[in-house]
């Protein structure tokens, strides 16, 4: 019998029904993009309230799409870390209610490990362990040694903004929409990535497996709004904007690829699993495959719909269930960012 996975870590309300064979029987993602577009970033309180409104209809829809009833479920799984605390709590409350009401085991899973598990859904047995993991999303940018689907050791990552956050801020500077990644990607298609030489902080530093994006963001701001420009200066348009978008995108991609290359050299691992919303980016996907070719490594990236937040990747909960790892009614959330997780020594 299948499990129900619930995902509400940030601004997507998602549910999926997945068989023990990791077949996704029904998957629904209700995006909150329109809600947050006005602020060009996720407003946590609004996100939590929207989850409350949407979570039960989204769950019902996922179960209906699977062609089953709630009583056909075998377990309930929920992403409990990391994420926005208010958002996580809505998913957890729904999962606990359904699990208790139906007398089903409850499993909490890690959202970042789930992003990488999307590779398993897309590429099946080509995923082997240990592997190198790269999570690039709106809230996280990290390099991992992945020993098992559920055991990740953080090797490094961003020391400031997440790469997706940088895409979102760059898009705002260029007068593009939210979330910024897809907008930058579309605009960059017609641009010259060599038009502006934007910084790749830490890229040449072979001591650290870390990346930084705040300087890139500032450099773009200085190009778009040079010091002394009037406050009502309109954002660039046309070719100028396309060149800025392409140059930004290239710099962000180069920063990541430089450290993926270093991680492959350091660890000797020859399989890279990639996950997170920014992994939907074509320039990044192509550059990672090139990097893999240079190192004789295989690079696995899920299709775009499995890169951005979704609950199908909650299939990872079967890995816990197969080992008899169900949580009790005291299951709690672990909010936080890359930085707090690092401080705690957790993933
Ligand atoms: O994984 P995700 O859906 O949510 C988090 O866990 O954070 O990632 C969302 C991020 C946003 O910052 C969005 O701008 C970025 O992924 N993104 C992209 C693309 N599609 C989404 N960034 C670059 N290129 C894309 N095509
Ligand atoms: Zn995510």
């Amino acid at each position: 019998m299948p499990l129900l996975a619930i995902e509400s870590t940030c601004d997507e309300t998602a549910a999926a029904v997945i068989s023990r064979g990791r077949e996704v029987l029904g998957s629904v993602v209700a995006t909150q993009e329109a809600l947050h577009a006005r602020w060009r970033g996720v407003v946590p309180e609004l996100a939590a309230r929207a989850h409350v409104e949407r979570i039960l209809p989204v769950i019902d829809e996922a179960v209906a799409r699977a062609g089953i009833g709630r009583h056909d479920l075998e377990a309930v799984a929920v992403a409990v870390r990391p994420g926005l605390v208010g958002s996580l709590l809505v998913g957890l409350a729904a999962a606990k209610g359904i699990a208790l009401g139906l007398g089903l085991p409850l499993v909490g899973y890690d959202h970042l490990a789930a992003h990488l598990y999307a590779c398993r859904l897309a590429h099946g047995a080509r995923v082997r362990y240990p592997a190198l993991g790269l999570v690039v999303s709106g809230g996280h940018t990290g390099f991992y040694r992945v020993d098992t689907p559920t055991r990740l050791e953080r090797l490094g990552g961003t020391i400031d903004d997440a790469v997706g956050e940088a895409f979102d801020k760059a898009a705002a500077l260029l007068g593009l929409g939210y979330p910024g990644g897809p907008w930058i990607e579309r605009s960059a298609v017609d641009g010259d990535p060599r038009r502006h030489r934007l910084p790749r902080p830490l890229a040449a530093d072979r001591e650290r497996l870390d990346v930084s994006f705040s300087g890139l963001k500032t450099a773009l701001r200085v190009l778009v709004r040079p010091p002394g420009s009037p406050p009502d200066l309109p954002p660039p348009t046309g070719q100028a904007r396309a060149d800025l978008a392409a140059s930004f995108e290239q710099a962000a991609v180069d920063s990541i690829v430089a450290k993926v290359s270093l991680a492959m050299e350091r660890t000797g691992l020859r399989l890279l699993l990639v996950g997170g919303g920014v992994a939907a980016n074509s320039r990044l996907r192509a550059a990672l495959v090139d990097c893999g070719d240079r190192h004789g490594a295989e690079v696995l990236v899920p299709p775009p719909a499995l890169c951005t937040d979704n609950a199908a990747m909650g299939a990872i909960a079967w890995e816990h269930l197969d080992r008899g790892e169900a949580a009790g009614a005291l299951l709690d959330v672990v909010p936080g960012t890359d930085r707090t997780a690092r401080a705690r020594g957790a993933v």
Side-chain angles (χ1 to χ4, degrees), residues 7 9-10 111-112 115 135 137-140 276-277 307-310 313:
E7 159 75 44
T9 54
C10 187
H111 176 74
L112 303 180
H115 266 308
V135 177
S137 74
H140 306 277
C307 290
T308 45
D309 283 349
N310 65 87
M313 64 193 192

Side-chain angles (χ1 to χ4, degrees), residues 281-298:
N281 184 274
S282 314
R283 195 184 298 267
L284 177 62
R285 294 165 82 97
L288 288 171
V289 170
D290 279 354
C291 173
D293 288 347
R294 284 197 302 279
H295 291 274
E298 189 175 6

